[in-house]
Amino acid sequence: MCRQLAALGAWLTMTNETLILKRIGPIIEANIHFGDLTVMVGPQASGKSIFLQFLKLLVDTGPIFHTLKLHGLDWRKNAADFLELYLGEGTGRIWNSQGSEMIWRGERVSLDELVRAKRKAGVERSFFIPAQRVLTLSRDGWLRPFTDYKPGDPFAVRDFSEKLRLLMEGLGRSEAVYPQPKRLKSEIRKLLSRNIFSGFQLELEKTGPQKRLVLSDAEHTRKLPYMVWSAGQREFVPLLLGLYRLLPPTKVKRRGEIQWVIIEELEMGLHPEAIETLLVIVLELLWRGYKVCLSTHSPYVLDLVWALRNLRENKADARAVIRIFKIKPGPTTLDLGRTALQKDARVYYFDRESGKTRDISNLDPASAEKVEAGWGGLTELSGRVANAVADAVAAGESR
Amino acid sequence: MTFEKAVRSTAAILDHFQKGLQGIREADRNRLQCADTRRLRGSVDLDEALRIVHPNASRWDYAIGIRDTLSADLVVWIEAHPASSSRHVGDVLKKLLWLREWRAREAPALDKMPARYCWVATGKISFPGTSPEARRIAQQGLRFPTRKLDLDELARPPRR
């Protein structure tokens, strides 16, 4: 009986992972029930980023307040001032004390009360990788500290940048940052080396007091500084360093205190082969037990969600998952695939017109709902292209 | 040329012309949607009409006439078929090939008319709009499968 009650409690906790935001900026009503993997799609400025930053705020109120105060930033217990510091300059008015609402795990939370309350720093439960991650590296190839940004720059960027800097400061002199033998599964390392680093290594180079990240060839004869990296490499390196924090090189599956991983625009600046590699890393994050939230403009991310759903419904085994990524089946990769098939993945569309969200998790290409059939606009063009070609071929016959 | 005239001039199916969507089996009729029924110019159950003459062929299911321009009707060739496996793509393309050969051989009037080829999925669709399968069928002139075919969307308003 006790075990049943405990199971029911666990189930209720799990099923109550819901965040509802109302009348905040472009969001009229966003209602998201989180799965193990939650993907948010929608056009620019539809509220995805605001939503994810509010999620972070609710999960990590104490640590956020503590970090801001540590750097001498004060919002004078005022919601608008807080948002100017947290979301960034010009966002103070998106919260309206009369109309805006937040309902987190079934309970209404007032931002006005939240910013007035005293909070213990506590431990962070989420790790946020912002879309502007490329800004975290300066021109000389080193990570910018929190104080290097202006107070009006988004907290998510400053905080992420600082965390990476501290991670890198912890490394020794002239150390290989990538690859590291115990970091990441060997199959993932192979994919990264091929699809992102083209055989180069990422190294920490220290000359006198100056530290910088460089790419070097296998023989260490050629060193490429930050300014000559490809756009994709510049985008990817901060993301990789962020992932290092989440994928400890020990036998421990995950950093115990972190439960949520939030990644904005996973695909930013990357070729589809590199995106494919990142999707394997997403599977690794799920395997380690993190709850992963992504925003994306890439249909490849939805391809993965759609595949997992259909593979599961058709009782496919882990090999089918592994085959998608052309990686060698072995005990660790098959375990990755097996875990992925057990996870609950959800997709939400942020509709800029109505300001509301829609659950399009089924991703049914034949759905009568155009938003679902067109995967929130990500495949709509492809569908129209295919039908335009089909009609032109058909019309060509009768000419 | 009207759809009815073209069907009546085709010996193999001339007795199978039906008004509106009456030539479509009921289960499949529910998979079609048409708000402007005045534009429907008749339909034929090809599969049934050609069953005896071509018993072992990969027969196509239906033809529907829709008023398209003042001078010609549009023929919407519809195949109701599962799309739940990539093997079904091959099956439907085989049927499309058969349809074109049959039409060139036995239905020259219909062969000359403007056409649309539509696949109505009778269940789940196993490949997305971005897949190579979607491009493969498009290159053969076949539209991406749908569970509910909107006939209004296919026909352009008649030119005045």
Side-chain angles (χ1 to χ4, degrees):
Chain A
M1 185 67 177
C2 273
R3 197 178 293 169
Q4 282 173 334
L5 279 174
L8 179 67
W11 182 80
L12 281 173
T13 308
M14 194 177 73
T15 53
N16 199 24
E17 292 289 34
T18 305
L19 174 59
I20 302 170
L21 297 185
K22 292 184 184 175
R23 294 174 288 278
I24 300 176
I27 298 170
I28 301 300
E29 181 171 347
N31 185 342
I32 306 286
H33 191 132
F34 296 96
D36 299 304
L37 171 64
T38 308
V39 181
M40 296 169 196
V41 297
Q44 261 90 27
S46 54
K48 301 184 297 294
S49 184
I50 289 174
F51 188 91
L52 289 172
Q53 289 178 82
F54 268 86
L55 170 66
K56 164 88 182 160
L57 173 62
L58 290 161
V59 173
D60 280 330
T61 313
I64 291 168
F65 286 9
H66 175 74
T67 305
L68 288 170
K69 284 178 181 165
L70 192 71
H71 292 94
L73 299 166
D74 183 11
W75 54 95
R76 296 171 298 174
K77 298 183 177 179
N78 176 287
D81 287 358
F82 173 76
L83 290 179
E84 292 277 329
L85 287 175
Y86 181 63
L87 296 179
E89 190 177 339
T91 59
R93 288 189 180 177
I94 67 167
W95 176 268
N96 170 356
S97 299
Q98 306 306 316
S100 300
E101 284 182 62
M102 296 190 278
I103 301 162
W104 173 229
R105 291 173 170 155
E107 286 184 23
R108 198 171 298 272
V109 182
S110 157
L111 183 65
D112 299 286
E113 285 173 21
L114 194 76
V115 299
R116 277 198 291 268
K118 281 193 175 171
R119 292 276 177 157
K120 283 186 183 165
V123 289
E124 273 195 311
R125 303 277 178 208
S126 73
F127 190 74
F128 193 108
I129 303 182
Q132 310 94 315
R133 49 191 168 266
V134 73
L135 300 175
T136 58
L137 277 161
S138 62
R139 286 163 56 90
D140 50 10
W142 193 238
L143 291 141
R144 299 170 63 193
F146 194 97
T147 47
D148 195 40
Y149 296 83
K150 283 189 280 181
D153 292 337
F155 173 86
V157 183
R158 305 178 75 180
D159 186 49
F160 178 66
S161 193
E162 176 71 2
K163 286 194 171 94
L164 298 194
R165 189 184 68 80
L166 292 174
L167 180 78
M168 288 294 99
E169 295 286 3
L171 290 181
R173 195 182 179 90
S174 296
E175 196 169 321
V177 178
Y178 175 85
Q180 288 185 5
K182 285 182 184 171
R183 293 268 190 188
L184 306 169
K185 292 185 168 50
S186 69
E187 284 300 315
I188 296 179
R189 284 203 307 272
K190 278 183 209 161
L191 288 173
L192 284 174
S193 294
R194 192 183 63 212
N195 295 337
I196 293 167
F197 290 112
S198 313
F200 277 77
Q201 299 177 2
L202 184 66
E203 281 182 7
L204 173 66
E205 190 187 66
K206 199 171 177 189
T207 319
Q210 180 70 48
K211 282 182 185 169
R212 65 173 189 167
L213 289 168
V214 290
L215 288 172
S216 81
D217 62 7
E219 293 78 33
H220 301 274
T221 51
R222 213 150 53 100
K223 292 197 172 174
L224 305 180
Y226 175 74
M227 288 305 281
V228 300
W229 295 0
S230 73
Q233 287 164 341
R234 286 186 208 178
E235 288 285 352
F236 183 74
V237 166
L239 181 55
L240 174 76
L241 300 180
L243 291 167
Y244 270 10
R245 254 185 80 95
L246 299 163
L247 309 171
T250 58
K251 282 184 180 169
V252 180
K253 261 191 170 181
R254 66 184 169 102
R255 293 171 69 96
E257 68 276 23
I258 301 281
Q259 292 166 354
W260 298 77
V261 177
I262 303 166
I263 309 177
E264 286 189 311
E265 302 192 26
L266 177 86
E267 70 283 358
M268 187 90 83
L270 297 176
H271 183 274
E273 281 178 348
I275 299 172
E276 189 181 316
T277 307
L278 273 177
L279 291 177
V280 182
I281 296 175
V282 168
L283 296 189
E284 163 111 25
L285 291 169
L286 292 171
W287 175 80
R288 286 175 185 254
Y290 292 112
K291 252 176 149 39
V292 181
C293 293
L294 309 172
S295 67
T296 186
H297 295 301
S298 168
Y300 298 110
V301 178
L302 297 195
D303 270 335
L304 175 67
V305 177
W306 184 71
L308 290 178
R309 176 173 287 265
N310 282 279
L311 292 177
R312 186 169 47 242
E313 280 177 12
N314 293 289
K315 299 187 171 52
D317 65 10
R319 277 172 197 278
V321 179
I322 296 312
R323 220 175 287 133
I324 292 174
F325 299 102
K326 297 187 283 186
I327 47 181
K328 259 193 200 162
T332 50
T333 53
L334 284 172
D335 199 23
L336 204 68
R338 219 174 352 259
T339 310
L341 287 171
Q342 291 162 0
K343 298 290 178 179
D344 172 27
R346 292 163 191 238
V347 182
Y348 288 88
Y349 174 65
F350 280 65
D351 186 347
R352 195 170 51 195
E353 300 301 314
S354 68
K356 294 185 175 177
T357 52
R358 283 164 72 175
D359 182 347
I360 57 166
S361 305
N362 283 332
L363 295 174
D364 180 358
S367 171
E369 296 285 329
K370 283 199 172 162
V371 163
E372 186 181 323
W375 290 9
L378 299 187
T379 64
E380 227 171 275
L381 177 66
S382 301
R384 287 203 305 272
V385 165
N387 283 342
V389 170
D391 291 352
V393 171
E397 289 175 349
S398 59
R399 277 190 200 116
Chain B
M1 173 77 87
T2 66
F3 177 68
E4 183 171 0
K5 267 191 190 167
V7 172
R8 302 271 189 218
S9 69
T10 306
I13 58 171
L14 69 93
D15 293 334
H16 291 264
F17 175 83
Q18 299 283 342
K19 287 195 170 163
L21 295 177
Q22 287 173 39
I24 313 295
R25 286 184 288 265
E26 197 181 339
D28 293 330
R29 210 181 301 151
N30 292 332
R31 304 182 207 278
L32 306 178
Q33 182 175 309
C34 182
D36 190 0
T37 51
R38 291 168 308 170
R39 295 176 68 186
L40 293 172
R41 305 295 288 257
S43 53
V44 174
D45 183 345
L46 285 179
D47 184 46
E48 177 60 26
L50 301 171
R51 192 166 49 88
I52 293 169
V53 190
H54 299 285
N56 300 318
S58 293
R59 298 184 302 276
W60 193 260
D61 281 339
Y62 307 108
I64 297 174
I66 297 184
R67 187 160 60 100
D68 188 31
T69 63
L70 292 179
S71 57
D73 289 345
L74 171 76
V75 185
V76 180
W77 301 92
I78 295 172
E79 175 65 23
H81 202 90
S84 55
S85 142
S86 53
R87 133 183 97 79
H88 292 131
V89 171
D91 295 345
V92 174
L93 287 179
K94 192 173 163 195
K95 283 169 173 262
L96 182 61
L97 181 67
W98 177 86
L99 171 69
R100 284 174 168 142
E101 286 173 356
W102 168 80
R103 220 174 41 191
R105 209 173 45 240
E106 298 181 31
L110 285 165
D111 198 33
K112 285 185 192 117
M113 295 179 73
R116 291 277 189 281
Y117 302 100
C118 299
W119 177 353
V120 176
T122 54
K124 286 197 71 169
I125 296 181
S126 70
F127 51 97
T130 47
S131 63
E133 284 89 350
R135 292 192 188 96
R136 186 176 160 210
I137 64 170
Q139 276 193 313
Q140 298 301 317
L142 185 60
R143 297 187 125 236
F144 191 74
T146 174
R147 272 202 300 274
K148 194 94 177 174
L149 180 65
D150 184 353
L151 294 171
D152 301 300
E153 196 192 353
L154 292 174
R156 292 164 296 177
R159 284 191 212 114
R160 304 226 170 251

